[in-house]
């Protein structure tokens, strides 16, 4: 019976996956629709009826890119590249200009897109630590990620490492219950490093596959809090030598240029390997990740496109750029 | 590289150095740099453009006085214009209705619930009100618990209906409850929602129409980027809110969103959130914010924070001690504790004009006092009150006890002596003498 259920699950999951994919695509498209329309309209307006681009056009591009939170430095880089190519190729029509602009932005995501987490088949659990400033959606992202991993047949344990914010432990506990995974928690106000220690110990004893450690939101300029993060990270070595195997920084898509400083400081404290960009279902464009990807070489793994348990998607840089420019 | 605005402005003003007056030609490049600086501070693209145009217009043709560099003149014009743009005067809550109903709205994660707790505390302590917190976020897991915990922390009652899934009903029931229980301010916390989520935006519209609040506050994260325009507009169209709350200003964001929102929806910013603690809510002062955006420091806020923390009686005691020449290490220690209470040292230092830039990359934190503290803790009470008796063997013992060496002890004693000398001079009105000492680079370092 159990075998049959498992089989059924796999079956229904596969069936669902194509639907899911369509749905996901639609969601991303919808969420980026606003961006797309305004960008497209603006660019069309800029270049319609012209056979070559002049400085005014470039100024307009600058405005368009900056309005998507791409940032001054990155925008200038894109524009400069565009300019030099236009100079080289002399004559450029509308369509060419599009593909060049798209290409230039895509080039800033220089690595291949990340896949889902690959959990190695070893005795020790794979540990993911989730960090970020206040209110970006760390706990929600953990809930969605736990659901994803559990559905992939993995045994997941959550660690309630936000012991500071009022009712944060309750929040992640509700997610654990909702998703159906185990959680290790202590009282509010207890040492988060000790929670991480307990979680890893318990996960190891129970032969769990994955551990996800939540942490309290902290502004990246608070040195003591950033040191605390380093301490939480270091404590994990004592149980599992290579833990945490992945440190995921959660960024809010509506955050402006400050996200670059966040990436810098969190990387300094914990060596961030991947990003999750949340709240992309709003009007925010999240263009700041282009600059982060370019400057720090930290790839985006996931995007959050809604409050539902299924609303965590793999980031696809081509789709991200395409969704911005496609008609 | 992300430099902060003031660094960029410095660069921009360098162009003007050596120019006698501001002309069309020499100002153009500067304006471009300023625009870039504003945009990097997350000021909306169009707002930045309009702003620089205004500043340029005001600056053109102004004779640059010999005592004032063109850059300084421009800074002054900019600061004035920024203050005007952000509303010039501070804007208070209207608490005249009985009860006053305050509806709090905003995006997810902007800090609504934390703000509600802080506002309740502020109203209770400063305004002597009897507020009621109302939990209308029925969606986010544990949101009701969060408000409940905060309500206990600030000692204010909370109204909640865990089973009720209708925020309009909950809000109405809360108002009847408040009237029966003589609560004079009702603070309604709502779920975070995206501006394009029609269903959720309609819901908050329904709440508004049903309860007819006296104040609607829109809570927005100070780190918000270019999207601040869209979000503020949408919420304003739906709610016609009365004021804005800017949160997480204790980060290193320049808070360009403040400028954007004010200029796009023309609603005043009423409060700013400055820490995760419940007393971290300040009234918004446009001129101080202008200074911050320009990286000019904020002396007034610094002084105010000092006034809040420093105990006047304590200060008088210390003055007496200084006068009697009996200022000891214990007093020194208590002064350090008071400074620490004022908050993060780096934040404090950055409020001092001119300091912000120089310590940008320096790692100063409250741990920097630890060495001094442990040395003092290793002294006997007698040694603390009468430092003169510190001889070689005593110093050796203190060094062993505090994990430092005799050299560090000597340095601390030297600094301590300088400081007591300086304080004596301040009392004796020897300010000029003190200035000389400071110029001689004899400032105590700690």
């Amino acid at each position: 019976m159990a075998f049959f259920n498992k089989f059924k699950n796999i079956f229904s999951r596969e069936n669902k996956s194509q639907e899911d994919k369509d749905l996901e695509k639609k969601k991303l498209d919808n969420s980026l629709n606003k961006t797309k329309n305004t960008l497209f309209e603006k660019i069309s307006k800029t270049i319609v009826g012209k056979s070559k681009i002049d400085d005014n056009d470039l100024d307009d591009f600058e405005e368009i890119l900056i309005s998507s939170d791409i940032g001054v430095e990155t925008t200038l880089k894109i524009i400069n590249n565009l300019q030099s190519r236009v100079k080289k190729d002399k004559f450029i029509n509308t369509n060419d200009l599009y593909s060049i602009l798209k290409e230039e932005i895509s080039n800033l995501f220089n690595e291949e897109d990340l896949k889902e987490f690959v959990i190695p088949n070893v005795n020790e659990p794979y540990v993911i630590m989730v960090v970020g400033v206040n209110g970006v959606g760390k706990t929600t992202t953990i809930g969605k990620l736990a659901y994803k991993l559990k559905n992939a047949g993995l045994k997941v344990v959550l660690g309630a490492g936000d012991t500071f914010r009022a009712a944060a432990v309750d929040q992640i506990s509700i997610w654990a219950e909702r998703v159906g995974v185990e959680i290790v928690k202590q009282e509010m106000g207890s040492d988060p490093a000790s929670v991480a220690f307990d979680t890893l110990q318990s996960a190891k004893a129970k032969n769990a596959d994955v551990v996800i450690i939540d942490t309290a939101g902290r502004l990246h300029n608070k040195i003591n809090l950033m040191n605390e993060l380093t301490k939480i990270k270091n404590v994990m070595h004592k149980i599992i030598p290579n833990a945490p195997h992945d440190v995921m920084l959660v960024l809010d898509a509506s955050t402006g240029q400050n996200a670059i400083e966040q990436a810098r400081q969190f990387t300094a404290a914990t060596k961030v390997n991947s990003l999750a960009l949340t709240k992309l279902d709003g009007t925010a464009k999240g263009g700041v990740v282009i600059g982060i990807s370019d400057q720090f070489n930290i790839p985006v793994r996931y995007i959050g496109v809604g409050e539902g348990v299924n609303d965590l998607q793999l980031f696809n840089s081509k789709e991200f750029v395409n969704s911005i420019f496609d008609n | 590289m992300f430099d902060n605005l003031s660094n960029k402005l410095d660069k921009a003003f360098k162009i003007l150095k050596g120019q006698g007056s501001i002309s069309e030609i020499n100002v153009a490049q500067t304006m471009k740099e300023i625009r870039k600086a504003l945009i990097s501070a997350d000021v909306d693209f169009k707002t930045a453009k309009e702003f620089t145009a205004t500043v340029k217009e005001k600056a053109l043709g102004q004779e640059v006085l010999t005592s004032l560099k063109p850059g300084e003149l421009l800074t002054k014009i900019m600061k004035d214009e920024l203050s005007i743009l952000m509303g010039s005067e501070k804007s208070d809550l209207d608490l005249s209705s009985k009860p006053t109903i305050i509806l709090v709205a905003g995006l997810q994660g902007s800090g609504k619930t934390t703000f509600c707790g802080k506002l309740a505390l502020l109203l209770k302590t400063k305004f002597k009100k009897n507020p009621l917190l109302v939990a209308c976020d029925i969606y986010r897991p544990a949101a009701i618990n969060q408000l409940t915990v905060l309500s206990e922390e600030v000692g204010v009652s909370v109204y909640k209906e865990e089973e009720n899934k209708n925020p309009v009903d909950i809000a109405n029931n809360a108002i009847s409850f408040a009237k029966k229980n003589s609560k004079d301010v009702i603070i309604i916390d709502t779920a975070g929602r995206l501006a394009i989520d029609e269903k959720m935006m309609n819901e908050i519209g329904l709440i508004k129409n049903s309860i007819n609040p006296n104040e609607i506050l829109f809570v927005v994260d100070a780190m918000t980027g270019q999207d601040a325009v869209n979000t503020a507009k949408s919420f304003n169209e739906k709610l016609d809110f009365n004021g804005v709350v800017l949160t997480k200003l204790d980060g290193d964001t320049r808070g360009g969103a403040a400028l954007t929102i004010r200029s796009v929806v023309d609603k005043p910013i009423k409060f700013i959130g400055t820490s995760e603690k419940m007393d971290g809510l300040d009234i918004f002062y446009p001129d101080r914010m202008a200074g911050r955006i320009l990286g000019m420091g904020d002396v007034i806020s610094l002084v105010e924070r000092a006034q809040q923390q420093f105990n006047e009686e304590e200060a008088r005691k210390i003055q007496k001690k200084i006068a009697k020449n009996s200022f000891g290490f214990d007093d020194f220690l208590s002064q350090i504790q008071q400074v620490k209470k004022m908050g993060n040292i780096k934040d404090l230092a950055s409020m001092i004009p001119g300091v912000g830039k120089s310590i940008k990359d320096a790692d100063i934190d409250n741990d920097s006092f630890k060495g001094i503290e442990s040395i003092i803790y290793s002294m006997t009470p007698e040694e603390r009150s009468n430092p003169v008796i510190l001889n070689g063997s005593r110093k050796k013992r203190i060094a062993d006890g505090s994990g430092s060496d005799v050299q560090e002890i000597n340095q601390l004693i030297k600094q301590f002596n300088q400081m007591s000398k300086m304080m004596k001079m301040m009392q004796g009105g020897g300010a000029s003498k003190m200035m000389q000492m400071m110029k001689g680079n004899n400032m105590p370092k700690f």
Side-chain angles (χ1 to χ4, degrees):
Chain A
M1 194 62 189
F3 174 76
F4 179 71
N5 274 343
K6 199 167 186 186
F7 182 72
K8 204 175 77 187
N9 276 341
I10 293 168
F11 187 70
S12 63
R13 214 166 51 231
E14 277 185 349
N15 249 355
K16 230 171 67 189
S17 95
Q18 189 49 45
E19 273 172 47
D20 275 357
K21 269 183 194 158
D22 292 347
L23 198 77
E24 281 175 10
K25 175 94 174 66
K26 214 175 131 202
K27 259 197 160 154
L28 179 66
D29 279 352
N30 277 343
S31 66
L32 292 169
N33 231 346
K34 179 118 187 176
T35 322
K36 190 163 64 188
N37 284 341
T38 49
L39 272 177
F40 185 73
E41 277 163 24
K42 281 182 194 163
I43 293 184
S44 307
K45 224 165 55 194
T46 307
I47 47 192
V48 77
K50 285 183 189 171
S51 57
K52 58 174 192 175
I53 53 167
D54 53 33
D55 281 356
N56 281 339
D57 297 332
L58 291 174
D59 277 355
D60 285 345
F61 286 158
E62 194 182 301
E63 172 175 355
I64 293 158
L65 296 178
I66 280 171
S67 302
S68 314
D69 278 323
I70 290 174
V72 177
E73 302 297 328
T74 313
T75 296
L76 288 181
K77 189 168 168 179
I78 295 168
I79 299 278
N80 282 342
N81 292 352
L82 188 71
Q83 241 172 336
S84 55
R85 282 184 62 172
V86 168
K87 247 179 222 155
K88 206 173 64 193
D89 300 349
K90 293 280 186 313
F91 182 82
I92 273 172
N93 66 29
T94 316
N95 284 336
D96 293 342
L97 201 60
Y98 266 126
S99 46
I100 291 176
L101 200 55
K102 243 195 261 185
E103 233 179 271
E104 287 302 334
I105 299 175
S106 297
N107 283 346
L108 299 178
F109 294 106
N110 43 10
E111 276 186 35
E112 260 183 57
D113 286 334
L114 289 179
K115 306 266 185 325
E116 294 287 354
F117 281 106
V118 179
I119 311 300
N121 197 7
V122 289
N123 272 339
E124 287 170 338
Y126 186 86
V127 181
I128 303 165
M129 180 181 178
V130 179
V131 299
V133 300
N134 316 63
V136 288
K138 286 178 293 303
T139 307
T140 308
T141 303
I142 289 171
K144 294 174 187 172
L145 180 59
Y147 182 73
K148 214 180 234 280
L149 294 168
K150 195 201 166 209
N151 275 355
L154 297 162
K155 186 173 179 184
V156 183
V157 176
L158 304 182
D162 182 355
T163 56
F164 179 78
R165 207 210 59 203
V169 175
D170 298 339
Q171 189 182 349
I172 194 167
S173 301
I174 291 171
W175 268 107
E177 205 175 300
R178 186 184 281 180
V179 174
V181 296
E182 280 189 51
I183 183 165
V184 175
K185 54 188 174 186
Q186 291 181 11
E187 281 184 11
M188 288 303 297
S190 52
D191 179 9
S194 143
V195 176
F197 189 90
D198 278 3
T199 310
L200 263 59
Q201 209 164 36
S202 149
K204 205 174 165 184
K206 288 174 183 159
N207 275 322
D209 301 301
V210 190
V211 172
I212 312 175
I213 302 285
D214 192 12
T215 60
R218 63 200 74 220
L219 292 170
H220 50 283
N221 60 333
K222 311 243 158 145
I223 297 160
N224 289 339
L225 291 178
M226 294 308 277
N227 288 344
E228 180 189 85
L229 219 48
T230 315
K231 182 184 161 199
I232 299 172
K233 189 181 173 232
N234 291 340
V235 157
M236 296 185 196
H237 300 321
K238 291 184 187 163
I239 310 274
I240 299 169
N242 292 322
H245 304 87
D246 194 279
V247 179
M248 187 156 83
L249 171 65
V250 182
L251 294 174
D252 183 330
S254 64
T255 305
Q257 296 312 298
N258 194 253
I260 292 184
E261 242 355 77
Q262 291 172 22
R264 191 192 315 281
Q265 300 304 337
F266 276 98
T267 301
T270 57
K271 215 176 169 325
V272 173
N273 329 65
S274 63
L275 304 176
L277 188 63
T278 61
K279 307 182 199 172
L280 257 185
D281 46 334
T283 44
K285 288 130 194 168
V288 71
V289 292
I290 297 173
I292 292 174
S293 200
D294 178 36
Q295 284 184 42
F296 303 101
N297 221 351
I298 308 171
V300 186
R301 190 188 294 272
Y302 291 118
I303 56 171
V305 290
E307 288 182 308
V309 74
N310 274 312
D311 295 330
L312 188 71
Q313 300 177 5
L314 271 184
F315 174 79
N316 179 322
S317 59
K318 270 220 172 68
E319 258 174 49
F320 186 77
V321 180
N322 272 338
S323 299
I324 289 175
F325 290 103
D326 273 0
N327 194 348
Chain B
M1 289 292 284
F2 179 92
D3 291 327
N4 68 33
L5 180 56
S6 56
N7 285 1
K8 294 206 165 172
L9 283 177
D10 271 1
K11 192 176 143 202
F13 293 148
K14 269 198 190 114
I15 303 162
L16 282 180
K17 221 176 171 180
Q19 308 272 351
S21 67
I22 297 171
S23 74
E24 184 83 49
I25 303 148
N26 64 20
V27 87
Q29 185 62 25
T30 308
M31 284 305 148
K32 209 171 167 183
E33 287 296 326
I34 290 171
R35 199 161 55 116
K36 257 164 76 178
L38 289 170
I39 289 165
S40 295
D42 288 322
V43 175
D44 159 58
F45 190 88
K46 286 205 179 73
T47 310
K49 218 170 181 173
E50 284 162 19
F51 176 76
T52 40
T54 316
V55 171
K56 188 175 156 186
E57 201 181 299
K58 296 242 154 124
L60 271 182
Q62 285 233 25
E63 241 349 91
V64 180
L65 303 166
T66 39
S67 59
L68 216 57
K69 292 179 199 140
E72 286 168 349
L73 181 65
L74 207 51
T75 311
K76 195 196 167 297
I77 296 172
M78 279 185 67
K79 193 179 174 213
D80 292 349
E81 286 302 312
L82 278 178
S83 308
I84 292 169
L85 203 59
M86 284 185 291
S88 299
E89 293 282 300
K90 75 179 170 82
S91 173
D92 294 323
L93 280 184
D94 177 12
L95 296 169
S96 55
S97 306
K98 288 214 161 65
T100 301
I101 302 172
I102 302 172
L103 181 64
V104 179
L107 296 182
Q108 288 94 341
S110 52
K112 289 175 296 301
T113 308
T114 305
F115 165 70
C116 286
K118 288 174 175 180
L119 181 63
L121 180 66
L122 187 81
L123 290 172
K124 182 184 151 190
T125 50
K126 271 213 180 125
F127 294 86
K128 308 289 170 223
K129 295 280 179 187
N130 184 10
L132 176 70
L133 286 162
V134 183
C136 277
D137 181 356
I138 53 165
Y139 302 98
R140 206 197 61 201
I144 298 175
N145 285 3
Q146 188 186 348
L147 193 70
T148 309
V149 171
L150 293 178
S151 75
E152 282 161 13
E153 198 182 324
V154 300
V156 164
S157 20
V158 64
Y159 184 87
K160 57 185 174 180
E161 297 181 29
E162 314 250 11
E163 299 307 318
N164 194 341
K165 291 286 167 218
N166 184 342
V168 181
D169 284 352
I170 300 172
N172 277 307
N173 295 344
I175 293 167
S176 328
F177 175 88
K179 283 177 180 161
K180 266 183 232 149
N181 291 278
S182 60
K183 303 284 176 191
D184 43 19
V185 188
I186 304 165
I187 305 167
I188 301 175
D189 184 24
T190 62
R193 61 201 77 222
L194 291 165
I196 53 161
D197 189 335
E198 259 175 63
K199 201 174 138 245
M200 290 297 284
M201 289 305 279
N202 284 339
E203 183 203 88
I204 192 106
L206 282 177
I207 298 177
K208 180 197 166 180
N209 292 338
S210 175
I211 61 172
N212 211 0
N214 307 91
E215 288 266 355
I216 303 175
L217 297 176
F218 174 56
V219 180
V220 64
D221 185 327
M223 295 178 280
T224 309
Q226 301 283 325
D227 191 51
V229 183
N230 302 324
T231 309
K233 269 190 192 158
S234 307
F235 271 86
N236 196 41
E237 272 160 25
K238 194 81 199 177
L239 294 175
D240 189 22
F241 52 74
N242 306 76
V244 178
V245 180
L246 209 58
T247 61
K248 306 179 204 171
L249 260 171
D250 44 338
D252 56 2
T253 176
R254 288 278 144 187
L259 207 63
T260 308
I261 290 169
R262 178 70 217 213
S263 71
V264 168
V265 297
D266 197 29
K267 295 288 167 70
I269 297 165
K270 298 200 173 187
F271 294 103
I272 53 172
T274 54
S275 89
E276 290 189 83
K277 296 196 185 111
M278 280 297 110
D279 58 0
L281 185 70
D282 290 342
I283 286 164
F284 176 80
Y285 292 94
D287 49 337
R288 299 183 196 177
M289 187 70 198
R292 178 181 169 130
I293 290 181
L294 291 172
M296 287 163 74
D298 184 355
V299 182
I300 306 165
S301 294
L302 178 67
V303 171
E304 275 183 358
R305 216 180 305 173
Q307 279 169 343
Q308 268 172 25
Q309 294 303 339
F310 277 82
N311 184 328
E312 266 183 54
E313 208 168 311
E314 190 101 337
R316 260 200 297 276
K317 257 198 249 162
I318 285 179
Q319 273 185 348
K320 260 190 200 155
K321 281 192 170 172
I322 295 167
K324 278 198 273 172
N325 230 350
S326 65
F327 182 80
F329 273 111
D330 265 329
D331 308 302
F332 189 49
L333 198 61
S334 85
Q335 292 225 305
I336 291 176
Q337 312 294 7
Q338 280 187 325
V339 171
K340 271 165 68 174
K341 261 198 284 178
M342 281 169 65
N344 183 301
I345 302 299
K346 198 170 169 181
D347 289 352
L348 291 177
S350 68
M351 286 185 189
I352 304 165
V355 171
K357 266 177 290 180
S358 52
I359 63 156
K360 190 171 78 87
D361 299 314
D363 263 354
I364 311 169
D365 61 281
N366 290 343
D367 280 354
S368 31
F369 292 122
K370 266 206 178 132
I372 298 175
E373 281 171 345
S374 58
I375 291 174
I376 299 177
Y377 285 136
S378 299
M379 294 177 185
T380 64
E382 201 194 346
E383 286 162 353
R384 291 188 209 180
S385 55
N386 190 15
V388 200
I389 63 168
L390 287 168
N391 57 21
S393 69
R394 281 178 191 267
K395 283 179 192 166
K396 177 86 180 52
R397 194 202 76 245
I398 294 165
D400 288 346
S402 59
S404 52
D405 52 47
V406 175
Q407 235 180 334
E408 284 172 71
I409 315 278
N410 282 333
Q411 202 172 352
L412 177 66
I413 294 171
K414 202 173 148 199
Q415 283 171 3
F416 172 80
N417 287 337
Q418 277 173 353
M419 194 174 140
S420 353
K421 223 191 270 172
M422 218 157 85
M423 287 197 289
K424 249 198 129 164
M425 268 188 246
M426 270 160 93
Q427 276 212 321
S432 61
K433 242 189 198 169
M434 193 175 76
M435 284 308 287
Q436 273 173 359
M437 237 176 110
M438 281 158 104
K439 269 186 195 151
N441 227 353
N442 281 326
M443 272 287 278
K445 253 184 13 202
F446 49 83

